[in-house]
Amino acid sequence: MPGSMSKLGGLATGLLACSRSGALSNQVRGVVHKSLLRLPSEHPEPWDYKHNGFNYIDGLKDDTRSHFHQNSKLIVVEGNIGSGKTTLAKQLADQLGFVHFPEFRMDDILVDRYGNDLRNYYNKFPARYRLPDISMFYKNPSGELSAAMQDRIFNCRFDQYLNALAHILNTGQGVVLERTPHSDFVFANAMRDKNYIGHEYFKHYYFVRKNALPQLHFWPHLVVYLNTPTNKCLENIKRRGNTDEIATVDERYLKTIEESYKDSLREYRNHSKILAYDWTKPGDTDAVVEDIERLDLDFFEWHSGDVMEEWNTIVDSVGWNGWRQYVTNKYDARMLAFDGIPKHEVGELYTNPRDTGHFLHVMRKEVLKSPYGYGYIAKNGDHQAGLNAWHTGHHLPEPWYEYYFREAYYDDLTSHETSLDLDSDSYDPDYVHHHH
Amino acid sequence: MADSTRVSEKEIERRETFIRAGHRARHLADPFTWSYPLKGASAMLGISLASVYLQNRWNKKPYYYAIVPRLLLIGAATAAGYAAGALRERHYQTRDAVIEHYMKLHPEDFDHFNDRSGRSFSQVLLPWYPRRTQYTRYD
C-alpha cells in the first residue's frame, strides 16, 4: 500500500499535536468563499494530470503538499432522487471556487471519444452487452441487466471518487462531488426492496463494496445531506416529466433510499463532517456557504476519533506523492478493489464467453471499424500517439483515463474467437438471432 | 600395415577441413554461412520483431504503439544476441589456443597422433613372458 509507512508517523504527529505550526504561527482558517481566498506566494501551477498523469518519478519535480491551501477540500452533496442536490452542488462549487463533479451517469461511458453511442449498436450486440442506462432501467427495471448496470455504476463511481481525489492532490482546487461509492448502496437497497436485483447479486454487491471502500483510503472532508421528504421528491420527479421515471421511482423506492441514507450518514459520521439540511423548501446556498466557512475542516487529534484522519496522518512528501500516484493512476486501487472476486455464483453477472467474442467482433467490424483500440485509429483522426507509453494498467495513448469502462476496458477484453482471428473475419451478424 | 589401408597426408588434411566454421563463402540466404555474432543478433532481432508484432495485434495496437521503449528493448535484445554469438566464437578460439599451447609444451604425450594409419600389435603391446603355474616343478 503506497504511503503505508506514513501511518507510523501518524502516531508521532498525534502526540505532538500541540506543536503544530498553525497553532503557534497564525490562526487556522477553514474553507472560505472564493473571493476571500489568498494563495501563498510560492503556490505552484496546477499539475495537468489529465495529460501528464502522475508517476512516482514525477514526485521529484512537483511536490504534492505545495498545492494544498485552505480550499483543498472534498465536499460531497448527498440526497434522495429529486432532492435538488445538483442545483446546490453547482452553486456551492461556483461560490467556493471548487470544481463541480456531477453525479455519474451511464451516458458518460456509453459514448466514446469518437462520438459513437454504443446504444445505437445494441441491436448488433449480444444481449449481455446491452447495458441499460438510467432511462432504459426506468423503462424496464425488472430486466436481466439491472444488476449488471448497478455493478457498472458502482465501478464507475469508484473511478469518479478517485478522479475527485486526483484533482485535489494534483491541483489543490477543491471538489464538490455528487454522491460517492460510500453511499451507492442506497440504490442497491432500493432495487433489492423492489426485486429489481436478486439476492445473489445483493450479497455480491456488499462483498465487493466491503472490499473496495478501504481502497479509496480518503473520506470526504464534508458531507452535505439534503433531507427532502419523499412527497417533495415525487413532486420534483413529476415536474421532470419522465413517465418511466415517474412509474419506477415511486414512494416505496424513495422511502427505502431515505432510510438507507440514515445508515450511510452513520457511516460517514466516523470519518467526515456532516451538514444536514431540511430541503423541503430549497434553502439558500449562501446559508450553506456560511455554515461551511464556520466549520473547522483542518482539525485532527490522533486520540479524538477518525474524523479527518486520512488527510492528517500522512507526514512526508513520499507519503503524499505515493497517494497522489495511487489516486491518479488508479491501477493499484482498481486491482485491490475489484480483482480476484469470484462471480460464478452471481447469475445476473454471468457473461457467456461466446457473447464476449461476438461483442469484440461487433466492436471491430461495426463500431470502430478497425482492428486497433481507442486512440490508435488513424482514419478516425487519431495521430500517432503512445510512442513513449511507459504507464501501467492500461494501453490508451493518454496516461490518464477518466472511467475504466469507457474505453480502457476494451484493450483488456479478449476471447477465444478474437485471439486467433485478429481481423474478425469470422464475424457473423446472425449470431444474435441464433438460438443458444 | 597394408598399403591399401594407408591414406595420404593430403587426403587426411582435406577430410578434416571439409566442415569447419568460416570455411564456406558467406551467403545471405544461408544463415549457416554467417558468423556467430551475426547469427545471434539476427535470431534475437527476428524473435523480438515477431513478439512485438504479435503483442501489438493481440492488444489491438498499431505498429507505433510504445515504439520508443520497444526499439530500445529490441536493440538491447539484439545486442544480447550479438554478445552471445561473440562469446561463443571467443570461447572456441580460446579453447583451441589452449589445446594447441598444451600440445606444444608436452609433445611426447601426443606421439600417437602421428600414427594416423595405425600401428602393428608389436608396437602397441607390452612384452609378455609366459609363466605357466602348473609347471612350477621345473623352475
Side-chain angles (χ1 to χ4, degrees):
Chain A
M1 186 72 69
S4 59
M5 284 301 295
S6 302
K7 285 277 185 176
L8 301 178
L11 176 61
T13 300
L15 294 176
L16 300 174
C18 59
S19 68
R20 274 196 340 177
S21 60
L24 298 177
S25 61
N26 54 44
Q27 181 184 359
V28 176
R29 301 186 66 188
V31 174
V32 293
H33 193 272
K34 66 178 178 180
S35 59
L36 302 173
L37 180 64
R38 298 287 181 266
L39 295 181
S41 57
E42 67 277 5
H43 192 259
E45 288 296 313
W47 178 268
D48 190 6
Y49 62 100
K50 295 186 180 182
H51 291 102
N52 300 331
F54 190 83
N55 277 307
Y56 288 111
I57 199 158
D58 295 319
L60 297 176
K61 55 189 171 186
D62 190 70
D63 187 53
T64 303
R65 284 181 294 183
S66 306
H67 289 282
F68 292 165
H69 48 80
Q70 301 165 258
N71 280 19
S72 301
K73 298 293 185 288
L74 176 59
I75 295 178
V76 170
V77 180
E78 300 276 6
N80 211 327
I81 302 176
S83 60
K85 66 184 180 307
T86 301
T87 307
L88 175 70
K90 269 186 210 168
Q91 292 171 3
L92 269 185
D94 182 57
Q95 292 209 25
L96 297 171
F98 286 24
V99 65
H100 173 224
F101 275 45
E103 185 188 2
F104 169 77
R105 306 176 307 155
M106 289 293 284
D107 298 46
D108 298 334
I109 61 170
L110 292 178
V111 183
D112 62 19
R113 65 175 74 191
Y114 306 124
N116 289 321
D117 193 332
L118 296 189
R119 287 165 288 194
N120 295 337
Y121 302 93
Y122 271 9
N123 58 326
K124 300 180 198 292
F125 283 165
R128 173 61 177 83
Y129 284 87
R130 302 168 185 165
L131 281 182
D133 62 356
I134 204 69
S135 300
M136 296 161 70
F137 168 70
Y138 287 150
K139 201 186 298 291
N140 183 23
S142 300
E144 292 179 350
L145 292 176
S146 297
M149 180 199 73
Q150 176 60 30
D151 192 65
R152 187 61 54 91
I153 287 175
F154 180 77
N155 209 286
C156 293
R157 280 202 219 276
F158 187 90
D159 281 342
Q160 191 191 36
Y161 193 82
L162 291 175
N163 293 341
L165 294 171
H167 191 85
I168 296 170
L169 266 57
N170 283 286
T171 67
Q173 187 186 19
V175 171
V176 178
L177 175 64
E178 290 182 45
R179 295 214 173 106
T180 62
H182 302 95
S183 61
D184 185 69
F185 73 95
V186 305
F187 296 101
N189 286 359
M191 292 163 79
R192 177 63 194 138
D193 186 54
K194 301 202 72 180
N195 268 327
Y196 297 155
I197 56 174
H199 177 64
E200 292 84 5
Y201 173 68
F202 195 55
K203 286 177 64 180
H204 174 82
Y205 175 86
Y206 273 95
F207 185 82
V208 172
R209 179 180 185 272
K210 184 178 181 180
N211 193 61
L213 291 190
Q215 318 307 338
L216 295 171
H217 184 72
F218 295 99
W219 285 79
H221 290 91
L222 173 64
V223 176
V224 179
Y225 176 66
L226 305 184
N227 191 3
T228 308
T230 51
N231 57 327
K232 189 65 180 177
C233 295
L234 285 171
E235 283 179 28
N236 294 336
I237 290 166
K238 282 190 171 65
R239 196 180 308 124
R240 280 185 202 159
N242 188 336
T243 53
D244 299 316
E245 187 183 16
I246 293 166
T248 301
V249 182
D250 56 4
E251 179 82 19
R252 182 174 171 183
Y253 196 84
L254 293 172
K255 189 62 76 175
T256 308
I257 291 177
E258 193 181 34
E259 292 297 317
S260 302
Y261 259 122
K262 296 178 182 178
D263 295 326
S264 184
L265 291 179
R266 242 194 303 274
E267 195 174 293
Y268 275 127
R269 192 167 55 200
N270 289 325
H271 298 273
S272 309
K273 297 282 189 178
I274 296 177
L275 288 177
Y277 294 94
D278 182 1
W279 220 248
T280 307
K281 176 174 172 295
D284 192 4
T285 308
D286 293 333
V288 181
V289 170
E290 283 175 20
D291 289 338
I292 292 172
E293 285 176 345
R294 274 194 282 266
L295 285 173
D296 185 358
L297 298 177
D298 289 309
F299 177 80
F300 172 72
E301 282 177 349
W302 174 71
H303 51 83
S304 299
D306 297 328
V307 178
M308 308 297 171
E309 181 195 6
E310 303 82 17
W311 299 93
N312 288 275
T313 51
I314 303 167
V315 299
D316 56 2
S317 294
V318 175
W320 275 112
N321 290 339
W323 283 117
R324 182 176 167 188
Q325 188 269 345
Y326 180 84
V327 301
T328 308
N329 192 276
K330 297 210 269 288
Y331 178 64
D332 291 328
R334 290 190 53 84
M335 177 185 64
L336 294 167
F338 300 116
D339 280 10
I341 296 179
K343 297 180 179 175
H344 57 270
E345 294 184 359
V346 193
E348 289 163 285
L349 298 182
Y350 174 71
T351 306
N352 189 328
R354 309 282 79 77
D355 285 355
T356 303
H358 185 69
F359 170 76
L360 287 167
H361 281 333
V362 176
M363 289 293 288
R364 290 181 186 179
K365 285 295 193 182
E366 305 279 359
V367 183
L368 300 174
K369 295 186 171 60
S370 171
Y372 304 131
Y374 285 105
Y376 299 104
I377 304 173
K379 64 174 181 287
N380 285 5
D382 288 322
H383 302 104
Q384 291 193 354
L387 272 65
N388 292 307
W390 288 110
H391 45 261
T392 60
H394 66 100
H395 298 292
L396 298 173
E398 308 87 22
W400 182 85
Y401 60 85
E402 189 173 16
Y403 296 111
Y404 174 80
F405 277 107
R406 183 166 185 256
E407 288 160 352
Y409 78 98
Y410 179 63
D411 297 320
D412 296 335
L413 204 59
T414 185
S415 68
H416 288 176
E417 282 83 359
T418 56
S419 62
L420 294 180
D421 182 11
L422 300 171
D423 291 309
S424 292
D425 296 323
S426 63
Y427 167 54
D428 178 15
D430 283 333
Y431 173 90
V432 292
H433 306 115
H434 294 167
H435 181 73
H436 298 290
Chain B
M1 300 293 294
D3 282 345
S4 61
T5 64
R6 293 184 184 276
V7 181
S8 67
E9 290 294 324
K10 190 185 296 281
E11 174 62 13
I12 288 172
E13 200 69 28
R14 186 195 72 83
R15 290 177 183 179
E16 288 195 349
T17 59
F18 177 66
I19 299 179
R20 191 161 278 192
H23 194 65
R24 297 158 61 206
R26 189 168 299 170
H27 291 292
L28 197 61
D30 188 353
F32 294 101
T33 60
W34 302 351
S35 65
Y36 280 111
L38 199 56
K39 278 193 271 193
S42 303
M44 292 304 290
L45 181 65
I47 292 168
S48 299
L49 291 179
S51 63
V52 165
Y53 173 79
L54 287 178
Q55 196 198 24
N56 279 340
R57 296 287 274 129
W58 195 283
N59 287 309
K60 318 180 185 74
K61 291 292 172 289
Y63 72 93
Y64 55 82
Y65 171 70
I67 196 168
V68 172
R70 281 178 171 173
L71 284 181
L72 296 174
L73 288 174
I74 291 171
T78 306
Y82 186 93
L87 272 177
R88 179 174 179 170
E89 201 164 46
R90 174 75 177 176
H91 165 72
Y92 285 152
Q93 290 170 354
T94 306
R95 187 187 66 173
D96 290 348
V98 166
I99 290 173
E100 285 181 14
H101 181 61
Y102 187 83
M103 289 173 73
K104 283 193 172 73
L105 294 180
H106 306 279
E108 66 276 8
D109 291 338
F110 301 93
D111 282 343
H112 56 285
F113 280 15
N114 299 324
D115 299 314
R116 306 245 185 163
S117 303
R119 291 176 285 177
S120 61
F121 277 119
S122 63
Q123 292 174 303
V124 174
L125 300 177
L126 296 174
W128 178 65
Y129 307 100
R131 295 175 63 85
R132 295 180 171 84
T133 308
Q134 60 183 331
Y135 300 135
T136 54
R137 73 175 75 181
Y138 302 111
D139 282 346

